[in-house]
Amino acid sequence: MRWTRRLLRRRPEPAPQRPDQAGKTHGQREAEKALSRAQKARRAVEAHRPLVDRVAARLANEREQNHFAELFRQAFEGGPR
């Protein structure tokens, strides 16, 4: 008998669904704006990555050449200073 009463008991209606933008709080909108700014900044950084890699490789090469030049200079002058 109890199970029939449970079946007949009124169930609460589900909460109405809000439209996508209208149901967002101020904090959610600010978070979405921050996310879009971060995504835009990441795309800009990734667009410059090849240029940065080329400059870094050139600087590493120059540093290595300077290192060898210093080693040769020290060898000819008689040891490290």
Side-chain angles (χ1 to χ4, degrees), residues 38-53:
Q39 289 171 338
K40 185 178 178 181
R42 181 181 178 136
R43 284 191 296 270
V45 166
E46 288 175 351
H48 288 87
R49 183 181 301 266
L51 175 64
V52 171
D53 288 342

Side-chain angles (χ1 to χ4, degrees), residues 18 21-34:
R18 297 180 181 179
Q21 192 69 350
K24 295 187 180 177
T25 65
H26 177 70
Q28 289 172 326
R29 286 190 299 269
E30 291 298 318
E32 286 180 353
K33 289 177 186 177

Side-chain angles (χ1 to χ4, degrees), residues 33-76:
K33 289 177 186 177
L35 176 62
S36 67
R37 286 192 307 268
Q39 289 171 338
K40 185 178 178 181
R42 181 181 178 136
R43 284 191 296 270
V45 166
E46 288 175 351
H48 288 87
R49 183 181 301 266
L51 175 64
V52 171
D53 288 342
R54 284 195 305 266
V55 170
R58 189 180 82 214
L59 290 174
N61 187 21
E62 289 177 12
R63 184 180 63 218
E64 186 177 342
Q65 289 174 358
N66 287 339
H67 174 70
F68 285 125
E70 184 63 30
L71 288 178
F72 286 127
R73 191 175 305 115
Q74 287 176 1
F76 287 128

